[in-house]
């Protein structure tokens, strides 16, 4: 069962009913179980404590202290928003105040023809007065989901009570201490409503004394007859009158009212729609207050409500949440697709390892087998060790060196490299190839003038100090000059004008969302190319070669 809370805010009392609502498809219909109820004064410590105990819970509220109006208007079929806007425009055209009001519409008939115009019941209530009445509930943290007028609550009560008699007029009355509401119903639909500024308390008496029951019945009969005549009906059109409220002698007051109107009058003090076997607290107390709590019970039990002055706001809030959820889902999907696409691209560009076998090797093809580098032994004291000197400029004009073919040799290669003559620039001799008749031509790397040559990994570079000391022993060799590297100019990085959403960084993937795009190193955005992406910074280079950066800290500005 779903637990719902109904709150009635009348001028002289706050009535709260908490019920368990059975599902519509249950075996016992829409029967409810009352979990708790309370009747409090509009202000005081007990009222504040009770409201705070209901914090963060949803509630349906009936507000008495607000000017309201209920009318029927013909509109064209369409969406709720279009029909509501057309109804407001029609009322504004006939002089009804539609500014600063909360408006809701409800269907007046069950028409199956979608092309014909149909009547709707328009409920209007003063927005500022509703806000003032709801302020204590909102300050206590109660989540107000439904707001009704007393007439709308009576229409919910009529709909929950029983099936109405077709095409016959029924009158529902809520009689409070200093206020009264009369609602005219036909076929279970609210036709019109009127609020009266008097109740069963004698405003001219001493204190809070109730009126005489005959006086209350006479005034109520006159008000009902006048209201029915104002809507174009007659007292003879009334089929039944149902009365609820906090009158202490409600059942005894219905007898003179029946005589005045000459129709059946039923007090709503029974337990219809309520599980009588599981009443809260003392059962007798709830039975005595059943008619007084009917309006609050109807607000909680009518789900979904026929009239809700917050319906338009709730629909707009739901649409906003759906739009935000759709945007978030789209961003997440874009990130996932970009992540997956980038991963597939990286995998497609990586070299694939191919296993070689006798079946896929071309006959006569030469295959180079890697051999560990040959260690260089230090020379004896009698002879100076050969030193690998950088080749001269003339070495660039020499033809590439081709080593002789290497035959299979059962003995291991010699540990000492062959001596290098001083007349020609030394060239690193490649290590012998095992199990191969011929070796591919390997030439030395290109050497630019006045630059330090690159030494093969198999030749150990002597220290700079040792090379300087041994340069005097070389015949016909100029001493090696050591150049100090020029100091690099200071790199100035300026901020980049862009919106950084987030950075997705991992050892093998670097992605960022800039201005709503998923980009990576090498991509261009706003005329600048992304150079690198770190866990907190994106480095870019513009068309003039200037470095720019975009950090996560700049996103919060």
């Amino acid at each position: 069962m779903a637990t719902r809370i109904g709150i009635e805010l009348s001028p002289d009392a706050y009535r709260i009913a908490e019920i368990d609502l059975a599902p519509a498809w249950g075996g016992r219909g829409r029967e409810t179980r009352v979990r708790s109820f309370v009747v409090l004064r509009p202000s005081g410590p007990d009222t504040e404590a009770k409201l705070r105990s209901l914090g963060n819970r949803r509630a349906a509220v009936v507000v008495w202290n607000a000017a309201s109006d209920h009318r029927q208007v013909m509109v064209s079929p369409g969406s709720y928003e279009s029909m509501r806007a057309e109804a407001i425009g029609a009322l504004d055209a006939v002089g009804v105040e539609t500014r600063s009001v909360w408006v809701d519409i409800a269907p007046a008939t069950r028409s199956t023809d979608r092309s014909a115009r149909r009547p709707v019941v328009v409920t209007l209530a003063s927005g500022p007065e509703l806000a003032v009445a709801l302020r204590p509930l909102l300050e206590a943290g109660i989540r107000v989901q439904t707001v009704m007028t007393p007439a709308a609550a009576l229409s919910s009560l009529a709909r929950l009570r029983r099936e109405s008699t077709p095409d016959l007029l029924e009158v529902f009355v809520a009689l409070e201490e200093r206020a009264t509401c009369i609602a005219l119903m036909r076929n279970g639909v609210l036709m019109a409503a009127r609020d009266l500024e008097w109740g069963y308390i004698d405003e001219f008496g001493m204190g809070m004394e109730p009126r005489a029951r005959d006086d209350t019945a006479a005034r109520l009969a006159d008000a009902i007859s006048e209201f029915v005549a104002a809507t174009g009906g007659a007292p003879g059109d009334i089929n039944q009158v149902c009365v609820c409220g906090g009158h202490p002698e409600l059942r005894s007051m219905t007898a003179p009212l029946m005589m005045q109107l000459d129709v059946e009058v039923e007090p709503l003090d029974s337990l219809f729609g309520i599980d009588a076997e599981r009443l809260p607290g003392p059962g007798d107390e709830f039975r005595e207050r059943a008619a007084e709590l009917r309006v609050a019970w109807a607000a909680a039990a009518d789900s979904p409500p026929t009239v809700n002055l917050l319906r338009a706001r709730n629909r707009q809030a739901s649409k906003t949440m759906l739009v935000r959820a759709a945007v978030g889902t789209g961003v997440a999907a874009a990130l996932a697709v970009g992540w997956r696409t980038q991963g597939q691209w990286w995998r497609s560009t990586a070299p694939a390892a191919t296993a070689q076998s006798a079946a896929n090797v071309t006959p006569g093809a030469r295959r180079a087998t890697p051999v560990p580098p040959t260690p260089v032994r230090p020379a004896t004291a009698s002879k100076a060790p050969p030193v690998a000197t950088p080749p001269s400029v003339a070495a660039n004009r020499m033809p590439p060196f081709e080593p002789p073919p290497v035959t299979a040799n059962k003995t291991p290669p010699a540990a000492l490299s062959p001596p290098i003559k001083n007349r020609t620039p030394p060239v690193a001799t490649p290590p012998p190839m095992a199990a191969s008749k011929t070796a591919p031509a390997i030439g030395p790397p290109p050497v630019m003038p006045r630059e330090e040559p690159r030494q093969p990994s198999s030749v150990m570079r002597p220290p700079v100090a040792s090379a300087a000391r041994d340069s005097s022993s070389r015949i016909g060799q100029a001493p090696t000059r050591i150049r100090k590297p020029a100091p690099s100019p200071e790199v100035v990085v300026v901020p980049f004008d862009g919106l950084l959403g987030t950075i997705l960084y991992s050892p093998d993937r670097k992605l960022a969302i800039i201005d709503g795009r998923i980009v990576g190193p090498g991509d261009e955005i706003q005329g600048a190319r992304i150079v690198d992406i770190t866990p907190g910074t994106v480095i870019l280079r513009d068309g003039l070669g200037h470095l720019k950066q975009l950090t996560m800290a700049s996103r919060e500005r």
Side-chain angles (χ1 to χ4, degrees):
M1 290 187 177
T3 301
R4 295 180 58 85
I5 298 175
I7 303 176
E8 179 188 4
L9 305 180
S10 70
D12 298 287
Y14 283 8
R15 301 179 179 90
I16 304 174
E18 182 180 1
I19 67 172
D20 286 339
L21 184 61
W25 58 85
R28 304 180 68 180
R30 300 290 284 181
E31 190 174 59
T32 62
R33 175 195 172 189
V34 180
R35 297 175 59 91
S36 64
F37 69 94
V38 65
V39 179
L40 302 169
R41 305 307 299 175
S43 62
D46 294 340
T47 303
E48 295 178 359
K50 179 60 179 179
L51 294 180
R52 285 196 300 269
S53 67
L54 300 177
N56 203 28
R57 300 186 64 180
R58 299 181 180 181
V61 185
V62 181
V63 181
W64 280 80
N65 300 331
S68 59
D69 194 2
H70 305 79
R71 301 187 178 219
Q72 286 197 9
V73 178
M74 299 294 295
V75 297
S76 301
S79 64
Y80 168 81
E81 287 76 12
S82 64
M83 292 191 296
R84 178 176 177 271
E86 184 178 355
I88 294 175
L91 293 178
D92 186 64
V94 297
V96 177
E97 181 62 38
T98 58
R99 292 176 298 178
S100 300
V101 296
W102 296 2
V103 184
D104 189 30
I105 60 173
T109 59
R110 298 179 181 179
S111 176
T112 58
D113 188 2
R114 296 183 176 272
S115 60
R117 293 173 64 83
R118 61 186 63 180
V120 294
V121 178
V122 185
T123 302
L124 307 93
S126 172
E129 294 179 0
L130 289 175
V132 171
L134 296 174
R135 183 177 302 168
L137 278 66
L138 299 177
E139 292 178 351
I142 299 176
R143 301 168 60 184
V144 179
Q145 295 293 316
T146 303
V147 175
M148 298 180 177
T149 62
L154 289 176
S155 67
S156 297
L157 183 60
R159 200 161 62 93
L160 296 170
R161 178 172 171 264
R162 66 184 181 186
E163 293 293 335
S164 60
T165 306
D167 298 329
L168 294 180
L169 186 64
E170 295 180 335
V171 180
F172 280 76
V173 179
L175 184 61
E176 298 296 331
E177 294 177 348
R178 288 181 294 181
T180 302
C181 179
I182 303 175
L184 303 183
M185 312 288 297
R186 189 187 298 273
N187 297 330
V189 178
L190 178 64
M191 304 296 295
R194 174 175 292 182
D195 294 333
L196 305 177
E197 296 181 355
W198 56 267
Y200 63 85
I201 295 296
D202 187 3
E203 63 270 20
F204 301 106
M206 300 298 294
M208 299 292 291
E209 298 179 359
R211 301 176 187 271
R213 62 179 186 178
D214 293 340
D215 183 20
T216 303
R219 296 188 66 172
L220 190 57
D222 293 342
I224 292 174
S225 300
E226 180 183 355
F227 184 39
V228 171
T231 58
D237 299 334
I238 303 174
N239 180 55
Q240 189 181 26
V241 177
C242 300
V243 184
C244 65
H247 198 293
E249 299 180 357
L250 186 65
R251 181 167 287 275
S252 60
M253 189 267 301
T254 58
L257 181 60
M258 186 182 305
M259 296 178 60
Q260 293 282 342
L261 296 175
D262 194 20
V263 295
E264 179 185 357
V265 179
E266 178 182 356
L268 300 179
D269 56 356
S270 62
L271 298 180
F272 70 87
I274 299 175
D275 189 353
E277 297 178 358
R278 296 187 294 176
L279 296 177
D284 295 340
E285 181 181 359
F286 181 81
R287 293 177 187 274
E288 293 176 358
R289 292 182 176 271
E292 182 180 3
L293 294 167
R294 271 302 174 184
V295 173
W297 173 87
D302 190 15
S303 177
T306 305
V307 176
N308 182 8
L309 294 175
L310 294 180
R311 194 192 310 274
R313 297 188 179 186
N314 293 342
R315 289 172 64 92
Q316 183 63 31
S318 299
K319 289 182 178 180
T320 303
M321 292 180 62
L322 289 176
V323 169
R324 291 178 180 176
V327 171
T329 303
V331 171
L335 287 175
V337 172
W339 190 287
R340 184 175 181 181
T341 304
Q342 193 76 359
Q344 292 177 352
W345 179 81
W346 276 323
R347 287 193 295 269
S348 64
T349 56
T354 304
Q356 294 186 355
S357 62
N360 58 10
V361 174
T362 305
R366 292 173 294 182
R367 180 176 57 186
T369 303
V371 179
T374 304
V376 180
R377 293 184 180 180
T380 61
S382 60
K383 294 182 180 181
V387 180
T389 59
S392 60
V393 179
N396 294 331
R397 297 190 293 268
M398 295 178 63
F401 173 76
E402 296 184 0
V406 181
T407 59
N409 190 5
K410 297 182 180 180
T411 62
L416 292 177
S417 60
I420 303 175
K421 296 181 180 181
N422 293 331
R423 294 180 180 179
T424 59
V427 179
T429 303
M433 312 299 291
S436 177
K437 296 182 179 180
T438 59
I442 302 176
V447 180
M448 299 300 294
R450 298 182 182 178
E451 291 184 1
E452 185 180 354
R454 298 182 180 178
Q455 298 295 340
S457 60
S458 61
V459 178
M460 300 179 61
R461 183 187 303 273
V464 177
S466 177
R469 287 195 302 268
D470 295 340
S471 61
S472 59
S473 60
R474 303 174 193 167
I475 301 175
Q477 298 291 335
T480 303
R481 295 182 179 179
I482 302 175
R483 292 188 178 182
K484 296 183 180 180
S488 59
E490 184 180 359
V491 180
V492 180
V493 182
V494 298
F496 181 72
D497 186 11
L499 178 59
L500 176 59
T502 184
I503 293 179
L504 301 177
Y505 182 85
S506 64
D508 57 345
R509 295 181 181 178
K510 300 179 182 180
L511 294 175
I513 299 180
I514 302 177
D515 294 338
R517 289 179 49 195
I518 302 175
V519 295
D523 294 340
E524 290 189 0
I525 184 167
Q526 298 185 13
R529 183 178 298 273
I530 296 177
V531 178
D532 190 15
I533 296 178
T534 65
T537 308
V538 179
I539 306 299
L540 306 96
R541 188 181 299 275
D542 60 7
L544 301 178
H546 299 161
L547 289 180
K548 297 186 177 182
Q549 68 177 0
L550 188 60
T551 62
M552 295 296 293
S554 62
R555 182 183 63 174
E556 303 176 357
R557 296 177 302 183

